[in-house]
Amino acid sequence: MKRILIGLLILSPMFASAQGEWNQKFEQLGTQLPTANNYRNASGAPGKDYWQQRADYVIDAELNDENQSLTGRETITYFNNSPDQLSYLWLQLDQNMRSKASDTPLITENVVTKAMSGRDIQKISREYDFDGGFKVGEVSDVSGRPLKYIINKTMMRVDLPKPLASGEQVSFNVAWSYNIQDRMPLGGRSGYEYFPKDGNYLYTIAQWFPRMAVYDDVEGWQHKQFLGRGEFALEFGNYKVKLTVPADFVVGSTGELQNASQVLTKAQLEKLAQARKTFDKPVIIVSEEEARKAEKNKSSAKKTWEYHASDVRDFAFAASRKFIWDAQAVQLDTKTPLAMSYYPKEGNPLWEKESTKAVANTLRTYSKHTVEYPYPVAISVHSASIGMEYPMICFNFGRPAEDGSYTDAVKWGMIGVIIHEVGHNFFPMIINSDERQWSWMDEGLDTFVQSLTEKEHYPTKPLKRGEARLIVDYMKGDKKGIRPIMTNSEQILQFGDNAYGKPAAALSILRETIMGPELFDYAFKTYSERWAFKRPSPADFFRTMEDASAVDLDWFWKGWFYTTDHVDLSLSKVKWYKMDIPENEVENKAKKSKKAKISSGESSQSLMDFGDEAETFTFTDTDPAAVSERFAEFMNVTDDKSIMKANADRNFYELTFENKGGLVMPIIIEWTYEDGSVERQYLPAEIWKKNENVVTKVFAKDKKVTNIVIDPNKETADVATENNVFPRMENNSRFDLFQSGGE
């Protein structure tokens, strides 16, 4: 019979030696994060000397529907709020990604397959005749005197006549033009869609003007070349924009329309006014009947639409004579923005039914979890094969069949992309992270709040991302095809899972399992409020989440964001003990037990079960001489007899857990007892602090246990749940039975 002292039984896991390499998973992140300073303090908040630059734009542009081109002229006023003197400025020329001298096709890998489509071959041969890229015609000061500049692919440096001192501002002009690409064969975030049946174009225009690059305390000039994936680092500013288009076009844009009486009919003006007071459903401002009429007549006259926007980091617009336009007001805590949609007849009836409603739902949920939406409008524009975001406006896919029918997949896909792209108003259009550097800070955070929005307003919609179970297949994949979340945008492999899915699942686990919604929501909202209209870094997010919650999460950031480890916690061994007490020691209590069968679980092919009877241990009286001095006071009041009596009939279960995936996580245990009752216990991730590979813990239970399941609701993204259950049977048949209620 195996006899174990109860003191050693309880304390032995503390002295277990580590198996395998010590990876310091609980080492504090302070050694890896940037040192706090006066610009960004150690709490994760902006410091007392935080600064950021500002750029204001006055733009006049014309969209030519005859040859699908755009011509513009802008005056940029740049405010140097930094403590530094600047001798030159950098501007982004994103359309140069489409120039014939672009690096993008040169760094794009491709292979020959057994079946090659025309589009596949065209991407390799590049035989299409498209002259993309900006044609910069002028760079001058406000007096018209030329300024020296140099274009380096997608970046332009403007050399200043004299250095721009801290606190000063400078204004200068840029004139440019470019050819708008057909997005259908060429792709891209901006461009046009052509409708051959009626011979019309729908333009979704972005990255359409030379824009100031960011200069900040983290990177200096953020002028990484735009290769097509890494999105945009931009400065906040005010915009005054005039857009000249064919007279029958409808224009949806960042900002507020300034000359509605000049570009809208009296009836449309009345409908727009009605929409501002209508909260229950959209009001049709431009009807499908009007759009169909415009498609046929095609005016040769022109109109200029003027939009102004304050405190935005970018500006985009959509234009077409095909647009139907609807709008409704959304009541937030203190503001009532307009939710609006622009879509061609090809989007109906789905878009009229669902788009603006999805915009409104997004504003409500995101405002609750981040900051109240500050802008006057939020717009969803429909065009095929696109999902892209800009301040107050986004472009979204989701098109019914020609007869107007649509599947649930089309409907849910459309609603999902609208929520996601409208949600980008918050990340990064308001909480202005550096997308060129860190895709997860906008895509991952946005995808997480998107999942909250979908669960709140569309409970029957299948979630694609934002829960632990949805990232399992990616996490258990070949590590050669996986990069850490903390990877630059252009180097990420499996972009959707890495930048969207994994960080969203991580935040869901953090909220639901580790911190709890109350602590998480407060910290997440604190981060959003601290960094609204500012430029946070990853360290600011990590530090704020801890600062506002008093939860040490360095182990979590380190594992989920800095490694490619996965979760695979195995319940590798279970031993059942009872106290071995002579019958005369405790009246009417325990009877002496026979030696039990012990299930080691070392062979996955063997039956793992509790056995017929418990293993026993011998109770011995506490020996004060064997106890360290610091425990002496406790031992003076120890009543061995009462302890023995209280535990005589208890079952002691010694559970051994192995961390096979490398990612430490809390251990969630579900106990099923002989009487059918169920209990859940939660062990914080810190249980792994002394040994990151194997931990053993003993639990005292009044009732006999018949089944144990680890992570019963699949909330930790464990990739191998077959080793989470005890007893285990061959082929996991018993596990399947126990887990059936966990979905």
Side-chain angles (χ1 to χ4, degrees):
M1 179 178 294
K2 186 180 291 184
R3 299 177 181 272
I4 305 174
L5 292 177
I6 189 168
L8 290 179
L9 175 70
I10 295 173
L11 297 176
S12 60
M14 294 177 60
F15 302 102
S17 60
Q19 299 179 15
E21 183 182 354
W22 174 251
N23 292 316
Q24 296 185 317
K25 299 180 189 300
F26 286 90
E27 179 187 23
Q28 294 294 285
L29 267 180
T31 58
Q32 294 177 254
L33 298 182
T35 303
N37 53 45
N38 287 345
Y39 305 140
R40 299 164 189 272
N41 67 37
S43 73
K48 68 182 183 68
D49 295 329
Y50 176 82
W51 57 268
Q52 64 186 31
Q53 309 292 64
R54 174 180 154 195
D56 292 349
Y57 298 80
V58 177
I59 306 175
D60 284 276
E62 181 172 348
L63 178 66
N64 190 325
D65 190 45
E66 297 299 319
N67 61 11
Q68 291 72 58
S69 65
L70 187 144
T71 303
R73 181 180 180 86
E74 66 185 350
T75 298
I76 303 174
T77 301
Y78 185 75
F79 298 81
N80 183 15
N81 298 322
S82 80
D84 307 322
Q85 180 175 276
L86 304 176
S87 58
Y88 49 77
L89 308 177
W90 282 99
L91 280 73
Q92 303 183 60
L93 304 180
D94 302 298
Q95 288 297 330
N96 283 3
M97 188 205 80
R98 302 203 170 276
S99 74
K100 292 186 176 181
S102 171
D103 281 346
T104 301
L106 303 178
I107 66 165
T108 303
E109 292 186 85
N110 37 43
V111 297
V112 175
T113 60
K114 291 184 177 180
M116 300 282 287
S117 70
R119 185 171 183 179
D120 293 333
I121 295 171
Q122 190 179 55
K123 285 181 178 179
I124 296 172
S125 64
R126 295 185 61 79
E127 291 176 350
Y128 46 80
D129 184 21
F130 178 71
D131 181 17
F134 282 119
K135 305 294 187 294
V136 176
E138 176 190 340
V139 180
S140 64
D141 64 18
V142 290
S143 300
R145 290 187 294 267
L147 293 176
K148 183 180 178 182
Y149 67 93
I150 185 169
I151 294 175
N152 177 14
K153 302 184 187 301
T154 62
M155 293 289 166
M156 178 170 72
R157 191 188 72 224
V158 176
D159 297 334
L160 300 175
K162 66 173 185 176
L164 184 65
S166 175
E168 292 185 346
Q169 65 188 63
V170 63
S171 297
F172 60 99
N173 305 315
V174 182
W176 78 96
S177 65
Y178 74 96
N179 296 317
I180 304 168
Q181 88 274 7
D182 185 345
R183 286 192 308 99
M184 296 304 102
L186 301 181
R189 292 174 167 84
S190 174
Y192 66 79
E193 178 184 359
Y194 177 64
F195 293 80
K197 288 190 175 181
D198 54 56
N200 284 292
Y201 296 83
L202 188 161
Y203 298 90
T204 47
I205 304 299
Q207 293 88 252
W208 58 282
F209 59 98
R211 305 177 296 174
M212 291 303 308
V214 162
Y215 183 79
D216 69 9
D217 63 290
V218 177
E219 296 285 338
W221 284 109
Q222 172 51 284
H223 47 29
K224 291 182 184 294
Q225 294 289 339
F226 178 52
L227 299 173
R229 173 184 282 177
E231 292 180 6
F232 312 108
L234 298 160
E235 302 286 9
F236 286 107
N238 300 327
Y239 286 75
K240 295 181 178 180
V241 180
K242 293 180 179 179
L243 301 167
T244 300
V245 297
D248 53 359
F249 269 37
V250 173
V251 177
S253 174
T254 299
E256 286 187 286
L257 183 61
Q258 302 298 302
N259 61 337
S261 61
Q262 298 174 24
V263 295
L264 301 181
T265 67
K266 181 180 178 181
Q268 290 166 351
L269 286 168
E270 291 173 353
K271 292 291 187 181
L272 183 57
Q274 180 185 346
R276 298 185 189 281
K277 298 180 290 184
T278 303
F279 295 88
D280 58 340
K281 61 181 179 180
V283 174
I284 303 295
I285 299 167
V286 176
S287 68
E288 182 170 333
E289 181 182 358
E290 291 175 280
R292 286 179 179 272
K293 183 177 179 180
E295 284 180 350
K296 296 176 181 178
N297 294 337
K298 297 184 182 177
S299 172
S300 59
K302 296 179 181 179
K303 280 184 181 178
T304 298
W305 298 59
E306 183 170 357
Y307 282 92
H308 292 182
S310 300
D311 293 325
V312 294
R313 56 166 242 162
D314 200 0
F315 195 101
F317 68 95
S320 179
R321 60 174 55 90
K322 293 178 64 65
F323 276 148
I324 303 162
W325 175 15
D326 69 46
Q328 76 173 70
V330 183
Q331 184 62 62
L332 303 178
D333 284 345
T334 65
K335 301 181 184 298
T336 54
L338 275 178
M340 304 199 292
S341 296
Y342 296 76
Y343 44 96
K345 66 181 186 299
E346 286 78 5
N348 266 342
L350 179 58
W351 273 71
E352 183 176 321
K353 181 180 179 182
E354 297 288 354
S355 177
T356 297
K357 180 167 63 173
V359 176
N361 288 336
T362 304
L363 297 184
R364 294 184 186 106
T365 299
Y366 278 71
S367 294
K368 179 169 58 179
H369 287 280
T370 62
V371 296
E372 186 176 24
Y373 186 70
Y375 296 129
V377 299
I379 297 170
S380 170
V381 178
H382 174 48
S383 190
S385 306
I386 192 170
M388 193 57 201
E389 73 280 356
Y390 301 92
M392 305 186 217
I393 189 169
C394 56
F395 313 142
N396 304 308
F397 62 75
R399 183 165 295 171
E402 286 193 36
D403 64 1
S405 63
Y406 53 87
T407 63
D408 280 347
V410 170
K411 180 184 77 171
W412 293 132
M414 167 216 169
I415 290 172
V417 74
I418 291 173
I419 294 171
H420 184 86
E421 305 305 343
V422 173
H424 271 307
N425 276 288
F426 298 83
F427 306 102
M429 303 303 159
I430 297 168
I431 302 150
N432 184 24
S433 58
D434 181 352
E435 296 178 90
R436 189 64 52 89
Q437 189 76 13
W438 306 115
S439 291
W440 70 267
M441 287 195 74
D442 67 298
E443 300 296 358
L445 271 60
D446 182 30
T447 302
F448 165 68
V449 187
Q450 175 191 347
S451 71
L452 299 180
T453 305
E454 292 179 358
K455 285 185 279 191
E456 180 177 355
H457 296 288
Y458 303 96
T460 61
K461 180 186 182 300
L463 280 181
K464 289 190 174 182
R465 293 181 175 125
E467 287 189 348
R469 61 184 174 84
L470 300 173
I471 202 63
V472 167
D473 287 343
Y474 170 73
M475 297 284 280
K476 70 182 180 183
D478 186 347
K479 292 295 189 286
K480 293 179 181 178
I482 299 176
R483 296 271 171 86
I485 291 175
M486 292 291 290
T487 300
N488 177 268
S489 299
E490 297 294 345
Q491 296 173 290
I492 292 173
L493 307 176
Q494 301 189 64
F495 194 80
D497 286 319
N498 179 289
Y500 297 67
K502 185 179 176 183
L507 293 178
S508 177
I509 292 168
L510 199 57
R511 181 179 192 262
E512 306 300 334
T513 302
I514 295 170
M515 297 176 70
E518 184 177 10
L519 282 177
F520 179 94
D521 289 350
Y522 181 84
F524 193 76
K525 193 170 183 66
T526 298
Y527 164 75
S528 301
E529 291 171 344
R530 281 179 174 180
W531 290 98
F533 299 102
K534 296 182 178 68
R535 182 172 293 104
S537 70
D540 300 318
F541 177 66
F542 298 152
R543 285 169 167 156
T544 295
M545 291 300 292
E546 297 189 26
D547 179 70
S549 67
V551 180
D552 182 357
L553 296 169
D554 284 19
W555 63 271
F556 184 84
W557 310 128
K558 194 170 185 179
W560 277 90
F561 286 74
Y562 287 86
T563 78
T564 59
D565 290 347
H566 59 271
V567 182
D568 181 5
L569 303 186
S570 172
L571 177 56
S572 60
K573 191 179 297 184
V574 176
K575 295 183 180 180
W576 171 31
Y577 295 93
K578 291 183 76 72
M579 198 181 294
D580 180 17
I581 305 174
E583 291 185 16
N584 60 356
E585 289 289 328
V586 182
E587 186 179 355
N588 297 324
K589 282 290 180 183
K591 292 185 177 181
K592 191 172 183 179
S593 300
K594 296 180 181 178
K595 184 175 180 179
K597 299 175 183 176
I598 298 175
S599 305
S600 68
E602 293 173 356
S603 171
S604 61
Q605 299 300 313
S606 64
L607 176 70
M608 289 184 65
D609 214 328
F610 288 105
D612 299 325
E613 296 179 352
E615 179 75 359
T616 59
F617 62 87
T618 298
F619 183 90
T620 63
D621 290 339
T622 303
D623 180 5
V627 178
S628 64
E629 185 177 344
R630 60 196 177 110
F631 290 117
E633 290 185 7
F634 169 74
M635 291 306 171
N636 286 339
V637 296
T638 299
D639 184 346
D640 286 307
K641 291 294 183 183
S642 64
I643 293 173
M644 180 176 68
K645 183 177 180 179
N647 289 278
D649 274 351
R650 283 210 170 108
N651 300 281
F652 293 84
Y653 293 94
E654 181 188 273
L655 274 56
T656 298
F657 307 94
E658 289 185 70
N659 179 8
K660 294 187 173 184
L663 198 54
V664 294
M665 288 294 284
I667 302 174
I668 306 165
I669 309 170
E670 181 181 87
W671 306 87
T672 301
Y673 298 107
E674 195 172 35
D675 62 3
S677 61
V678 176
E679 178 193 13
R680 292 188 74 196
Q681 281 186 276
Y682 177 94
L683 305 181
E686 284 77 4
I687 194 172
W688 301 95
K689 273 193 170 185
K690 297 290 180 67
N691 188 329
E692 300 167 354
N693 304 289
V694 179
V695 295
T696 300
K697 190 168 181 63
V698 179
F699 302 84
K701 301 294 183 182
D702 291 326
K703 294 183 285 188
K704 184 178 177 181
V705 174
T706 59
N707 187 57
I708 305 170
V709 179
I710 305 305
D711 190 16
N713 293 331
K714 301 180 181 178
E715 56 189 285
T716 67
D718 196 314
V719 306
T721 50
E722 66 273 6
N723 59 24
N724 288 9
V725 67
F726 191 94
R728 279 208 285 280
M729 298 185 69
E730 293 181 15
N731 302 321
N732 301 322
S733 58
R734 183 174 296 187
F735 173 75
D736 293 338
L737 175 64
F738 292 144
Q739 287 292 87
S740 62
E743 288 290 347

